[in-house]
């Protein structure tokens, strides 16, 4: 997971350099890559690989940042990319979709969501049109693999779902999530963020009994779904039923080990146990979290793995971190909601 977080940080550096046009060689290289036929995400990845190498050299050799050296490295990467890659690119609906998606992201990064949503609504129309050209229902990653993972479809779908919720567009969010669930074969893939989007939106619309029934039916068929359990617990707590909120999580965590996939359930269980006055159980959960944290400290990443996210073949799907919802307890343990704590960053 650490290399995924590092990649996100590096790409933020690239975007900030282009936004400030400092140094100018970053934006210039990006534009040349895009003009040569690379997608926007591919261009950022290629620049990110150069940025990461520069940072690694600075840390390893104790060097100061050398803009001229960085510029030369970008030029060499650009020369190889354009010389050795086919630069003939046929524009498709997916390129039109990608342009709209990237425009929307620019507004969201500037915290101007109201201006960004129209671009994503238009992108959604293009997306549905493009999906009509897919001959049969496929998995999300099969669709991305068919396009050599050029377009950030999975991340955008999840971001769009969340932004509709943040904007209070609950009816639109429900319709979007339902349609997304219909479009793909989810047999072997995780559809829980879209299912949670429906349940949370029902609750936010004031349809509390419908939301509770929705989660109960879902978890009856999939009783170990950690995102569904977490989301169900959240709406129960928000509805004033802390005891039931705790019991929903306790049922699947008590007496089992804490590991990466269920660790945020342990955090929530610890907080809820404390809230309902079960201090001994809260201490047990904290003990399990401490053991889990100690096990992470023993893990060491090989230096070469740091670069994997930038150098791996395209046909390797990116595994996303577990989603944290705005009203979830912040994983840092502050006791605040995520959106009021680390989510602000």
């Amino acid at each position: 997971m650490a290399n995924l977080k590092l990649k996100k940080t590096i790409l933020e550096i690239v975007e900030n350099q282009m936004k400030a046009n400092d140094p100018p060689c970053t934006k210039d290289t990006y534009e040349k890559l895009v003009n040569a036929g690379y997608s926007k995400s591919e261009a950022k990845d290629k620049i990110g690989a150069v940025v990461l190498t520069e940072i690694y050299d600075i840390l390893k050799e104790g060097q100061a940042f050398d803009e001229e050296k960085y510029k030369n490295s970008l030029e060499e990467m650009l020369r190889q990319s354009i010389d050795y890659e086919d630069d003939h690119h046929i524009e498709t609906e997916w390129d039109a979709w990608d342009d709209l998606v990237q425009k929307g992201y620019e507004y969201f990064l500037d915290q101007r969501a109201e201006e960004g949503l129209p671009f994503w609504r238009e992108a959604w129309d293009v997306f549905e049109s493009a999906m009509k050209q897919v001959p049969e229902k496929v998995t999300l990653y099969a669709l991305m693999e068919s396009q050599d993972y050029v377009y950030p479809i999975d991340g955008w779908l999840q971001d769009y779902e969340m932004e509709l919720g943040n904007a209070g567009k609950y009816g639109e969010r429900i319709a979007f999530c339902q349609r997304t669930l219909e479009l793909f074969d989810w047999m072997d893939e995780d559809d829980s963020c879209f299912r949670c989007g429906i349940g949370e939106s029902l609750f936010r619309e004031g349809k509390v009994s419908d939301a509770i029934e929705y989660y109960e039916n879902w978890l009856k068929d999939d009783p170990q779904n950690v995102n569904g359990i977490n989301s169900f617990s959240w709406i129960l707590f928000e509805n004033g039923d802390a005891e039931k909120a705790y019991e929903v999580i306790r049922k699947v965590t008590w007496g089992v080990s804490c590991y990466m996939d269920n660790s945020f359930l342990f955090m929530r269980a610890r907080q809820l146990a404390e809230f309902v006055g079960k201090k001994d159980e809260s201490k047990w959960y904290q003990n399990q979290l401490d053991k889990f944290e100690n096990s992470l400290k023993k893990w060491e990443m090989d230096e070469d793995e740091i670069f994997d996210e930038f150098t791996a073949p395209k046909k390797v799907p990116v595994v996303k971190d577990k989603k944290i919802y705005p009203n979830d307890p912040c994983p840092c343990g502050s006791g605040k909601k995520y959106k009021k704590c680390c989510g602000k960053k």
Side-chain angles (χ1 to χ4, degrees):
M1 289 294 182
N3 53 344
L4 294 179
K5 293 178 181 177
L6 178 59
K7 179 179 181 180
K8 181 180 178 182
T9 300
I10 294 298
L11 293 180
E12 285 176 354
I13 292 173
V14 173
E15 288 168 355
N16 289 337
Q17 286 183 351
M18 291 195 297
K19 186 176 178 181
N21 199 26
D22 182 20
C25 55
T26 301
K27 189 174 182 179
D28 181 58
T29 302
Y30 170 80
E31 290 174 349
K32 288 178 179 177
L33 286 169
V34 171
N35 289 336
Y38 287 94
S39 71
K40 294 179 179 180
S41 56
E42 284 180 311
K44 290 176 185 177
D45 272 355
K46 284 184 168 292
I47 296 171
V50 177
V51 169
L52 184 56
T53 300
E54 293 299 308
I55 292 175
Y56 183 76
D57 288 344
I58 289 170
L59 294 176
K60 187 174 182 180
E61 306 298 334
Q63 304 170 351
F65 174 65
D66 186 337
E67 184 174 334
E68 189 63 28
K69 177 176 176 291
Y70 174 55
K71 181 180 178 181
N72 291 337
S73 297
L74 286 176
E75 288 176 350
E76 176 61 20
M77 177 273 290
L78 184 63
R79 184 191 68 77
Q80 293 186 14
S81 298
I82 294 179
D83 284 353
Y84 302 138
E85 295 283 350
D86 180 9
D87 61 358
H88 298 288
H89 182 71
I90 301 174
E91 292 287 321
T92 67
E93 276 189 301
W94 290 109
D95 295 296
W97 168 83
D98 190 44
D99 285 340
L100 291 165
V101 167
Q102 298 302 331
K103 286 177 182 176
Y105 271 122
E106 289 173 8
Y107 284 103
F108 284 111
L109 287 171
D110 286 339
Q111 299 183 347
R112 295 158 64 189
E114 286 298 323
E115 296 173 70
L117 277 175
F119 287 104
W120 280 9
R121 289 191 182 100
E122 189 177 348
W124 176 242
D125 290 339
V126 175
F127 183 83
E128 286 202 282
S129 174
M131 287 299 294
K132 291 177 182 177
Q133 309 306 314
V134 180
E136 59 183 358
K137 184 178 286 191
V138 297
T139 65
L140 176 56
Y141 281 114
L143 174 66
M144 295 176 65
E145 183 178 17
S146 71
Q147 301 166 337
D148 288 335
Y149 296 96
V150 170
Y151 305 106
I153 298 172
D154 59 337
W156 175 72
L157 288 172
Q158 292 187 39
D159 289 340
Y160 192 13
E161 172 270 314
M162 178 175 279
E163 292 299 343
L164 286 172
N166 291 340
K169 310 293 184 182
Y170 303 121
E172 186 178 350
R173 185 189 191 195
I174 290 172
F176 168 78
C177 290
Q178 288 174 334
R179 181 60 180 145
T180 302
L181 291 170
E182 292 170 359
L183 279 173
F184 297 99
D185 175 2
W186 296 98
M187 184 64 69
D188 299 316
E189 293 179 4
D190 184 12
D191 61 358
S192 60
C193 74
F194 305 107
R195 289 181 177 272
C196 289
I198 294 172
E200 291 171 10
S201 295
L202 286 171
F203 178 73
R204 284 301 189 190
E205 286 187 320
K207 301 174 182 177
V208 178
S209 59
D210 289 345
I212 291 174
E213 182 181 4
Y214 172 83
Y215 280 105
E216 287 175 341
N217 289 335
W218 173 17
L219 295 174
K220 188 182 298 182
D221 295 330
D222 191 4
Q224 298 297 320
N225 192 293
V226 292
N227 282 332
I229 293 164
N230 184 54
S231 183
F232 187 27
S233 172
W234 167 75
I235 72 161
L236 290 169
F237 183 81
E238 290 285 306
N239 198 45
D241 195 347
E243 291 281 353
K244 187 172 181 181
Y246 174 53
E247 190 56 36
V248 164
I249 294 185
R250 187 185 189 279
K251 185 178 179 180
V252 296
T253 55
W254 187 257
V256 303
S257 298
C258 177
Y259 53 93
M260 183 66 73
D261 287 346
N262 71 359
S263 58
F264 65 94
L265 287 183
F266 274 72
M267 295 178 198
R268 191 173 181 87
R270 180 201 65 197
Q271 294 168 340
L272 288 170
E274 185 76 22
F275 187 86
V276 299
K278 298 186 178 181
K279 298 187 181 300
D280 288 342
E281 295 190 8
S282 179
K283 289 179 181 178
W284 182 84
Y285 279 111
Q286 183 60 60
N287 182 258
Q288 300 306 308
L289 286 165
D290 290 342
K291 289 180 179 179
F292 170 63
E293 185 176 351
N294 289 334
S295 71
L296 290 181
K297 290 178 180 177
K298 295 177 182 178
W299 178 73
E300 293 182 2
M301 181 188 293
D302 186 91
E303 286 181 359
D304 291 339
E305 291 182 31
I306 295 176
F307 294 88
D308 283 351
E309 284 302 314
F310 294 93
T311 59
K314 290 179 182 177
K315 294 186 179 182
V316 178
V318 175
V319 180
K320 296 179 71 65
D321 287 331
K322 287 293 181 181
K323 186 173 182 180
I324 303 171
Y325 290 87
N327 288 298
D328 284 346
C330 191
C332 74
S334 67
K336 298 179 181 179
K337 291 182 179 180
Y338 178 68
K339 67 183 180 182
K340 300 288 187 181
C341 190
C342 295
K344 284 185 175 181
K345 302 174 185 176

